Amino acid sequence: MSGKADPRTPGERTTSRARLDRGRGALGPALGLVHTGRAPTRSVLTAELGVTRATAGAVAAELEALGLIRVDARPGSAAGSQGRPSHRLQVAEDGPVALAAQIHADGFRAALVGLGGRIVATAPGCETVDADPAKVLGSVVEAGAELLRTTGRRCIGAGLAVPSAVAEPDGLALNPLHVAWPAGAPVTRIFAECVRDAGITGPAFAANDVNLAALAEHRHGAGRGARDLLCVATGHRGVGGALVLDGRLHTGSAGLALEVGHLTVNPEGRPCHCGSRGCLDVEADPLALLVEAGREPGPEMSLLQQANELLRTQYADPAVRTAAETLVDRLGLGLAGLVNILNPDRIILGGLHRTLLEADPDRLRAVVADRSLWGRSGGVPILPCTLDHNSLVGAAELAWQPVLDDPLAALA
């Protein structure tokens, strides 16, 4: 099904097929384990799946025949280990890819992402976003289609990250405030039509950008191994949040959960786009830092870049330090409330919040511990996100999910 020649002899294929028939339901879980790096060897795969070594071998061989993974023909063992060394497993570097697209307040970008969250190719980003979502999505999909033509890679589907809550099941962008799109724009339908019109095969999906960043970090980054993972991040404008429970995004009954940007952290603060006042969205985003520090935003780079650069290069300036401390206190207040409600076992921060954490980690952790009931009993680990372009990687995870669920059906 992968279009690649199967190197096994007819007898080997027959025996392997019989074993695979007994372990067919393990194909998806096995691929997920290799995809997230939790099964680097066949012996680990055997233990994680709870199957016989022969069945695990058949499952790995079938995934290799599908062009999804590689089984190292020259296995090695770690220093000091005992027993026969196990075959190494890794995602196929030349395997299929997902088309990933991201829209944000300061532009858009397209990329091709393989298994393992590995970005294979990226298109030059655009720095303007038209008020017509169809124009923007048509442009970003065409950039992705050009990447596919250039690389010749097989595409299994497409995923889109947008700076808005996306209501399910209709895929409507309910509050794309920072890109001037109309509320309720049917982004999933428009994106799917653009993908189809570009001749790209496979399903198309869309979701909130911070949700997708959290999903990517949980599978490949700072959130790996967490059971209840809370992610809070600034985009180029505003603040978003996401929760991953037992490996799956918690999106609520209609895809609208974790709108943490609209927690009130300063009752007398700035008016928010939602109609309230003093929300995290306007009190702890890049523009808020620049305003607090008395800096006039410029057109030469995005607000997120300007705010990050200000912290990294001028933190010794008393005005910048005071502004950073103000944002840290507001962010800490919001995080403390979320800790009280959600009781996560790990918090990860992205965008400007990652830079704030790196600038003064002790202050932020102290605020959260002091203001949260559970924080006082030991604290919740607060870590920076570690993936570059995590929303893009998360958009690709949307497209990869059908393959992870059922590789044979998805690639048929």
Short mmCIF file of all heavy atoms in Angstrom, two decimals, residues 41-71:
data_model
loop_
_atom_site.label_atom_id
_atom_site.label_comp_id
_atom_site.label_asym_id
_atom_site.label_seq_id
_atom_site.Cartn_x
_atom_site.Cartn_y
_atom_site.Cartn_z
N THR A 41 12.90 0.76 20.41
CA THR A 41 13.36 -0.57 19.99
C THR A 41 12.18 -1.53 19.94
O THR A 41 11.12 -1.28 20.52
CB THR A 41 14.40 -1.15 20.95
OG1 THR A 41 13.79 -1.40 22.22
CG2 THR A 41 15.58 -0.20 21.14
N ARG A 42 12.39 -2.64 19.25
CA ARG A 42 11.33 -3.63 19.14
C ARG A 42 11.01 -4.28 20.49
O ARG A 42 9.87 -4.65 20.75
CB ARG A 42 11.71 -4.69 18.10
CG ARG A 42 10.50 -5.43 17.54
CD ARG A 42 10.85 -6.21 16.31
NE ARG A 42 11.79 -7.30 16.59
CZ ARG A 42 12.33 -8.09 15.66
NH1 ARG A 42 12.03 -7.89 14.39
NH2 ARG A 42 13.16 -9.05 15.98
N SER A 43 12.00 -4.42 21.35
CA SER A 43 11.74 -5.00 22.66
C SER A 43 10.86 -4.09 23.50
O SER A 43 9.95 -4.55 24.21
CB SER A 43 13.05 -5.30 23.39
OG SER A 43 13.77 -4.11 23.64
N VAL A 44 11.08 -2.78 23.43
CA VAL A 44 10.23 -1.84 24.14
C VAL A 44 8.82 -1.89 23.56
O VAL A 44 7.82 -1.86 24.29
CB VAL A 44 10.80 -0.41 24.08
CG1 VAL A 44 9.84 0.58 24.71
CG2 VAL A 44 12.15 -0.35 24.78
N LEU A 45 8.73 -1.98 22.25
CA LEU A 45 7.43 -2.07 21.60
C LEU A 45 6.67 -3.30 22.09
O LEU A 45 5.46 -3.23 22.38
CB LEU A 45 7.61 -2.12 20.08
CG LEU A 45 6.32 -2.17 19.25
CD1 LEU A 45 5.58 -0.84 19.35
CD2 LEU A 45 6.64 -2.49 17.79
N THR A 46 7.36 -4.42 22.18
CA THR A 46 6.74 -5.66 22.65
C THR A 46 6.17 -5.47 24.06
O THR A 46 5.03 -5.84 24.34
CB THR A 46 7.77 -6.80 22.65
OG1 THR A 46 8.29 -6.98 21.33
CG2 THR A 46 7.15 -8.10 23.14
N ALA A 47 6.96 -4.87 24.93
CA ALA A 47 6.53 -4.67 26.31
C ALA A 47 5.37 -3.69 26.39
O ALA A 47 4.41 -3.90 27.14
CB ALA A 47 7.70 -4.19 27.15
N GLU A 48 5.43 -2.60 25.63
CA GLU A 48 4.39 -1.58 25.69
C GLU A 48 3.06 -2.10 25.14
O GLU A 48 1.99 -1.75 25.65
CB GLU A 48 4.82 -0.34 24.90
CG GLU A 48 5.93 0.46 25.55
CD GLU A 48 5.45 1.21 26.78
OE1 GLU A 48 4.25 1.52 26.87
OE2 GLU A 48 6.28 1.49 27.67
N LEU A 49 3.12 -2.93 24.10
CA LEU A 49 1.89 -3.45 23.51
C LEU A 49 1.34 -4.64 24.29
O LEU A 49 0.15 -4.97 24.17
CB LEU A 49 2.14 -3.88 22.06
CG LEU A 49 2.47 -2.77 21.05
CD1 LEU A 49 2.75 -3.39 19.69
CD2 LEU A 49 1.33 -1.76 20.96
N GLY A 50 2.18 -5.31 25.05
CA GLY A 50 1.74 -6.49 25.77
C GLY A 50 1.46 -7.66 24.86
O GLY A 50 0.53 -8.44 25.10
N VAL A 51 2.27 -7.82 23.79
CA VAL A 51 2.10 -8.92 22.84
C VAL A 51 3.37 -9.75 22.82
O VAL A 51 4.37 -9.42 23.48
CB VAL A 51 1.78 -8.38 21.43
CG1 VAL A 51 0.48 -7.59 21.43
CG2 VAL A 51 2.94 -7.50 20.90
N THR A 52 3.36 -10.84 22.07
CA THR A 52 4.55 -11.65 21.94
C THR A 52 5.58 -10.93 21.08
O THR A 52 5.24 -10.03 20.30
CB THR A 52 4.24 -13.01 21.31
OG1 THR A 52 3.81 -12.79 19.95
CG2 THR A 52 3.14 -13.74 22.08
N ARG A 53 6.82 -11.37 21.20
CA ARG A 53 7.88 -10.76 20.39
C ARG A 53 7.62 -10.98 18.90
O ARG A 53 7.87 -10.09 18.09
CB ARG A 53 9.23 -11.36 20.79
CG ARG A 53 10.42 -10.64 20.14
CD ARG A 53 11.72 -11.05 20.79
NE ARG A 53 11.99 -12.48 20.61
CZ ARG A 53 13.03 -13.11 21.12
NH1 ARG A 53 13.87 -12.43 21.90
NH2 ARG A 53 13.23 -14.39 20.90
N ALA A 54 7.09 -12.17 18.55
CA ALA A 54 6.81 -12.45 17.14
C ALA A 54 5.72 -11.52 16.60
O ALA A 54 5.83 -11.01 15.48
CB ALA A 54 6.38 -13.91 16.98
N THR A 55 4.67 -11.30 17.40
CA THR A 55 3.60 -10.40 16.96
C THR A 55 4.11 -8.97 16.82
O THR A 55 3.80 -8.28 15.85
CB THR A 55 2.42 -10.46 17.93
OG1 THR A 55 1.87 -11.78 17.94
CG2 THR A 55 1.34 -9.47 17.53
N ALA A 56 4.91 -8.52 17.78
CA ALA A 56 5.49 -7.17 17.68
C ALA A 56 6.36 -7.05 16.44
O ALA A 56 6.35 -6.02 15.76
CB ALA A 56 6.29 -6.85 18.93
N GLY A 57 7.11 -8.12 16.13
CA GLY A 57 7.93 -8.10 14.93
C GLY A 57 7.09 -7.99 13.67
O GLY A 57 7.43 -7.27 12.73
N ALA A 58 5.95 -8.72 13.64
CA ALA A 58 5.07 -8.66 12.48
C ALA A 58 4.43 -7.29 12.34
O ALA A 58 4.31 -6.75 11.23
CB ALA A 58 3.98 -9.73 12.61
N VAL A 59 4.04 -6.69 13.46
CA VAL A 59 3.46 -5.36 13.43
C VAL A 59 4.47 -4.34 12.92
O VAL A 59 4.17 -3.50 12.06
CB VAL A 59 2.95 -4.98 14.84
CG1 VAL A 59 2.60 -3.49 14.91
CG2 VAL A 59 1.72 -5.81 15.21
N ALA A 60 5.69 -4.41 13.43
CA ALA A 60 6.74 -3.49 12.98
C ALA A 60 7.03 -3.68 11.50
O ALA A 60 7.23 -2.71 10.76
CB ALA A 60 8.01 -3.69 13.81
N ALA A 61 7.06 -4.92 11.05
CA ALA A 61 7.32 -5.19 9.64
C ALA A 61 6.22 -4.62 8.75
O ALA A 61 6.49 -4.11 7.66
CB ALA A 61 7.46 -6.70 9.43
N GLU A 62 4.97 -4.74 9.20
CA GLU A 62 3.88 -4.20 8.39
C GLU A 62 3.94 -2.68 8.33
O GLU A 62 3.71 -2.08 7.28
CB GLU A 62 2.53 -4.64 8.99
CG GLU A 62 1.33 -4.19 8.18
CD GLU A 62 1.25 -4.84 6.80
OE1 GLU A 62 1.92 -5.87 6.59
OE2 GLU A 62 0.53 -4.31 5.94
N LEU A 63 4.25 -2.04 9.44
CA LEU A 63 4.40 -0.58 9.42
C LEU A 63 5.55 -0.15 8.53
O LEU A 63 5.49 0.88 7.86
CB LEU A 63 4.60 -0.06 10.85
CG LEU A 63 3.39 -0.18 11.79
CD1 LEU A 63 3.79 0.24 13.20
CD2 LEU A 63 2.21 0.64 11.28
N GLU A 64 6.60 -0.97 8.49
CA GLU A 64 7.71 -0.67 7.58
C GLU A 64 7.28 -0.85 6.14
O GLU A 64 7.63 -0.04 5.27
CB GLU A 64 8.90 -1.56 7.90
CG GLU A 64 10.13 -1.23 7.05
CD GLU A 64 11.37 -1.99 7.48
OE1 GLU A 64 11.24 -3.16 7.88
OE2 GLU A 64 12.46 -1.41 7.41
N ALA A 65 6.50 -1.90 5.86
CA ALA A 65 6.02 -2.13 4.50
C ALA A 65 5.10 -1.01 4.04
O ALA A 65 5.03 -0.70 2.85
CB ALA A 65 5.29 -3.47 4.42
N LEU A 66 4.40 -0.38 4.97
CA LEU A 66 3.55 0.76 4.64
C LEU A 66 4.35 2.04 4.42
O LEU A 66 3.78 3.07 4.07
CB LEU A 66 2.52 0.98 5.75
CG LEU A 66 1.41 -0.06 5.88
CD1 LEU A 66 0.64 0.13 7.18
CD2 LEU A 66 0.47 0.02 4.69
N GLY A 67 5.64 1.99 4.65
CA GLY A 67 6.49 3.16 4.44
C GLY A 67 6.45 4.16 5.58
O GLY A 67 6.84 5.32 5.41
N LEU A 68 6.00 3.71 6.77
CA LEU A 68 5.84 4.63 7.89
C LEU A 68 7.01 4.61 8.86
O LEU A 68 7.33 5.64 9.46
CB LEU A 68 4.55 4.29 8.65
CG LEU A 68 3.26 4.46 7.84
CD1 LEU A 68 2.07 3.89 8.60
CD2 LEU A 68 3.03 5.93 7.50
N ILE A 69 7.62 3.46 9.08
CA ILE A 69 8.75 3.36 10.00
C ILE A 69 9.88 2.60 9.35
O ILE A 69 9.73 2.02 8.27
CB ILE A 69 8.36 2.68 11.33
CG1 ILE A 69 8.18 1.16 11.14
CG2 ILE A 69 7.10 3.31 11.93
CD1 ILE A 69 8.06 0.40 12.45
N ARG A 70 11.04 2.61 10.01
CA ARG A 70 12.19 1.82 9.59
C ARG A 70 12.61 0.94 10.76
O ARG A 70 12.69 1.40 11.91
CB ARG A 70 13.37 2.72 9.18
CG ARG A 70 13.10 3.49 7.90
CD ARG A 70 13.15 2.58 6.68
NE ARG A 70 12.79 3.30 5.46
CZ ARG A 70 11.57 3.35 4.94
NH1 ARG A 70 10.57 2.73 5.56
NH2 ARG A 70 11.33 4.02 3.85
N VAL A 71 12.87 -0.32 10.46
CA VAL A 71 13.41 -1.26 11.44
C VAL A 71 14.88 -1.43 11.14
O VAL A 71 15.25 -1.88 10.06
CB VAL A 71 12.68 -2.62 11.38
CG1 VAL A 71 13.24 -3.56 12.43
CG2 VAL A 71 11.18 -2.43 11.58
#
